[in-house]
Each structure stands twice: as C-alpha cells, then as structure tokens.
C-alpha cells in the first residue's frame, strides 16, 4: 500500500486476530497501557519467567488490545520520540530547585 503518512509516524503496528478474513473490520488505535505485574522471579541464581494472568475486564476503548479482543484488526501509528517534550521544562525546574 502506498500512502503519504504524517512525518511524525515512524512505524505502524498492525495486529491481526487469528480468525481474521479480508472482511474483518479494522480500527485505528493507541497502545493499551496497563501494568500487569512482575514478569520475572529470582530463584537461586536464575531468573524464571512468570506467566501473569491478564484481566480482560479493564480494556479501554480505542486501544489495540480492546480492538483485538473484539475481533478487529488493530492499526496503531507509532512515533519513536520517547521523550515527553511537554514535561521536560517542568521536570528541569523541579530538579533545578532541589539540586
């Protein structure tokens, strides 16, 4: 597919349900963000991967996971700028006052 995208989009995440067909509905989404607990547990000198159980009752409308859970294809535009520019100045002022 050749389309012009906003230059702020660095990549597109597409998640497709297992039972999707060419007629499956899609939704433009944002990533679902929810802490789900500890992933690793130390046992002796080893770290063991845990299998945290996920609670699907708290899914948020408009998120990738909610769309997938509803059987839709999730399309999420991603920007890789991981810095919150809007809070940089505020954080700088708070730290400067206590440095």
């Amino acid at each position: 597919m050749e389309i012009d995208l906003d230059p702020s989009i660095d990549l597109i995440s597409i998640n497709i349900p297992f039972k999707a067909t060419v007629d499956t509905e899609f939704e433009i989404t944002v990533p679902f963000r929810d802490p789900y607990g500890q992933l690793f547990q130390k046992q002796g000198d080893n770290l063991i991967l845990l299998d945290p159980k996920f609670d699907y009752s708290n899914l948020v409308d408009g998120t990738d996971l909610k769309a997938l859970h509803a059987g839709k294809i999730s399309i999420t535009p991603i920007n890789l700028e991981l810095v919150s520019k809007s809070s940089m100045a505020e954080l700088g002022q708070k730290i400067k006052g206590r440095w």
Side-chain angles (χ1 to χ4, degrees):
M1 179 182 307
E2 194 170 317
I3 55 175
D4 290 327
L5 296 174
D6 184 296
S8 69
I9 299 174
D10 293 319
L11 61 94
I12 296 175
S13 171
I14 301 175
N15 294 284
I16 303 171
F18 288 116
K19 296 181 180 181
T21 69
V22 294
D23 297 318
T24 298
E25 187 178 346
F26 73 87
E27 184 175 344
I28 306 299
T29 58
V30 298
F32 180 75
R33 294 177 57 171
D34 188 45
Y36 47 84
Q38 184 175 346
L39 287 178
F40 296 94
Q41 181 179 41
K42 188 162 177 91
Q43 290 185 356
D45 292 333
N46 300 318
L47 288 175
I48 306 300
L49 177 63
L50 301 175
D51 183 18
K53 302 301 177 209
F54 188 80
D55 179 10
Y56 286 93
S57 66
N58 65 344
L59 297 178
V60 177
D61 288 340
T63 62
D64 51 2
L65 196 53
K66 176 81 178 228
L68 280 174
H69 193 63
K72 299 178 186 177
I73 296 170
S74 163
I75 303 174
T76 306
I78 305 285
N79 178 288
L80 297 177
E81 183 69 46
L82 299 177
V83 176
S84 174
K85 291 180 180 177
S86 63
S87 61
M88 285 180 68
E90 179 184 349
L91 179 61
Q93 289 301 316
K94 288 180 179 182
I95 293 174
K96 187 177 181 180
R98 295 193 168 102
W99 197 264

